[in-house]
Amino acid sequence: MTDRPKIGLALSGGGVRAAGFHLGVLARLAREDCLEDVVAISTVSGGSLGVGLVYTLAGMRWPASREFLDEILPEARRVMTSTSLQSLLLWRFLRQVIKHPTHLFGTRADDLSTLLRRNWGITASLKDIPDVPRWMINATCYETAKNWRFLNFRMGDYAFGYTEQTDIPLSDALAASAGFPGLIGPLVFNTKGRKWFKYVDSPAPGREEDDPAVHRSRRTQTVPPAFRRLHLWDGGVYDNLGAEGVHAIGRGWKHGIEFLITSDAGGQPGPEAYRVLRAPLRIIIGVMMDQVRSLRSRILIDRIVHRRDGNRGVLLRTGNTCAKILGDTSHRGEIDARCPSCLIEEAAKRAAHIATSLKRLSPDDFELLFRHGFEVANCTLYGYNDDLFGYVER
């Protein structure tokens, strides 16, 4: 790569499928020593879990490229192929229901947080996240229907308010971000005992509200919490791409990002028979999330294709093959030379159809997702931005 741009990452939801795919994307960046150029990360659900695991394995630091490839990645592979958060969550839930039948109607996000601490070793606090790169963990607040954002220096949303008291377990933020309605449910957050505020001015033009320096310069007003308890669940309900943290519609990339990589591992579910108990939830939540995702994707693609305001970037998607990606670029003549052993369409679709869950990945499924993420990132970066990124062998 020649001029090294400041990179932003938006990593979508999609359970462990998304986490495995995103690890492949990070590995592709690491192969060209680009992890050091990441300045901002915005994550949802599976993306949040994957980045949380990376930070934990790196001692609450963003790892250097070589460290990621040699040390972090093998350990992440071991954790994700040996521990089924979903099975542990189910057994924990059943034991609690036997003791307290009313737990049947409760949420399991707090149990997920406990399992992330015990089984994935995610024991740090939200405030322990380093300032660089800026990591934004996204959830959805039920009471306000807004994007609730966890940062190391502040958490909240503009409708409810914010607090600087971020001494909560990082595992709580991850559980909230991954708390899919119906499967896990919301994290119940007690608002008492914290000082809440709202901004009474707007950030200066060109300054980002999620910047701690900008935050300190703004005028605030203390507000009483409107609710004693909040219900924070899957950030994908609001924005499954995690794009809002790094992209301001109409203004472009945020946080000094020069090149935005949006990794969409939301999956491609196939046809499904009507089921009475599942149909209402699928219609209300599934279709809504897919439409929001499609709209945000179109806005991102328009900005990327036309390089509006000089913004550059890529949108990576599961299910695409290297031949398809390069075939749509000026490098179509290189397909035979570049892709003799890349995943064929059947394998790429199989990766995209791996269930959205928190189950343990089999070694074969992990390798498939990881390889898919690596190849999609490799061909998309090179195919559309060969002045910045080369083609690297896996």
Side-chain angles (χ1 to χ4, degrees), residues 138-300:
N138 298 282
T140 304
C141 180
Y142 176 88
E143 282 74 13
T144 64
K146 304 302 181 186
N147 177 204
W148 181 281
R149 195 165 295 154
F150 294 96
L151 297 108
N152 63 347
F153 70 94
R154 188 200 68 195
M155 60 183 173
D157 69 49
Y158 71 85
F160 181 83
Y162 302 94
T163 179
E164 293 179 322
Q165 295 166 281
T166 58
D167 53 339
I168 68 167
L170 174 59
S171 59
D172 278 2
L174 301 182
S177 183
F180 190 80
L183 176 65
I184 297 172
L187 181 83
V188 180
F189 184 79
N190 193 332
T191 63
K192 292 186 64 177
R194 298 183 187 277
K195 182 179 178 182
W196 297 91
F197 67 89
K198 290 186 176 182
Y199 296 109
V200 296
D201 61 0
S202 299
R207 305 297 300 276
E208 305 298 344
E209 62 177 358
D210 291 330
D211 185 323
V214 174
H215 159 69
R216 290 191 294 269
S217 69
R218 295 179 64 184
R219 292 185 294 114
T220 62
Q221 173 183 312
T222 301
V223 295
F227 301 95
R228 294 182 60 185
R229 292 177 179 172
L230 296 175
H231 297 77
L232 308 177
W233 61 9
D234 195 335
V237 174
Y238 186 89
D239 169 19
N240 199 44
L241 293 180
E244 187 170 285
V246 287
H247 171 219
I249 295 176
R251 292 194 294 113
W253 309 158
K254 301 160 68 173
H255 311 296
I257 293 169
E258 296 170 337
F259 193 94
L260 177 62
I261 299 173
T262 303
S263 181
D264 181 5
Q268 299 178 7
E272 181 178 330
Y274 179 88
R275 299 177 186 177
V276 174
L277 294 178
R278 183 181 295 181
L281 185 65
R282 181 174 177 81
I283 292 297
I284 295 172
I285 297 178
V287 174
M288 178 185 70
M289 290 173 63
D290 189 61
Q291 289 302 305
V292 172
R293 170 187 172 196
S294 296
L295 179 60
R296 290 187 181 274
S297 295
R298 294 188 190 106
I299 295 171
L300 284 169

Side-chain angles (χ1 to χ4, degrees), residues 88-128:
L88 293 170
L89 194 63
L90 177 60
W91 282 113
R92 184 179 176 88
F93 170 67
L94 291 175
R95 288 196 301 269
Q96 291 175 340
V97 168
I98 292 172
K99 293 180 181 179
H100 305 285
T102 56
H103 195 76
L104 178 65
F105 305 102
T107 178
R108 290 164 288 284
D110 55 342
D111 295 325
L112 176 58
S113 177
T114 298
L115 294 174
L116 288 171
R117 292 194 297 272
R118 292 181 179 177
N119 297 91
W120 278 26
I122 300 177
T123 58
S125 295
L126 182 64
K127 62 183 178 60
D128 296 328

Side-chain angles (χ1 to χ4, degrees), residues 77-92:
R77 178 185 287 108
R78 183 194 66 78
V79 171
M80 293 181 61
T81 58
S82 62
T83 303
S84 175
L85 292 173
Q86 189 157 307
S87 296
L88 293 170
L89 194 63
L90 177 60
W91 282 113
R92 184 179 176 88

Side-chain angles (χ1 to χ4, degrees), residues 1-11 25-26 28-42 55 62 65 132-136 245-246 253-263 312-314 316 377 381 385 388-389:
M1 194 171 70
T2 54
D3 298 328
R4 297 166 65 101
K6 295 178 181 178
I7 295 173
L9 300 174
L11 306 181
V25 173
L26 295 181
R28 165 57 186 85
L29 292 175
R31 283 292 304 276
E32 217 166 353
D33 296 323
C34 292
L35 291 187
E36 290 81 351
D37 303 315
V38 175
V39 296
I41 311 169
S42 181
Y55 265 106
W62 183 244
S65 294
V132 180
R134 185 167 300 127
W135 180 22
M136 294 153 279
V246 287
W253 309 158
K254 301 160 68 173
H255 311 296
I257 293 169
E258 296 170 337
F259 193 94
L260 177 62
I261 299 173
T262 303
S263 181
R312 299 184 64 175
V314 289
L316 313 177
L381 290 170
N385 299 274
L388 297 178
F389 300 92

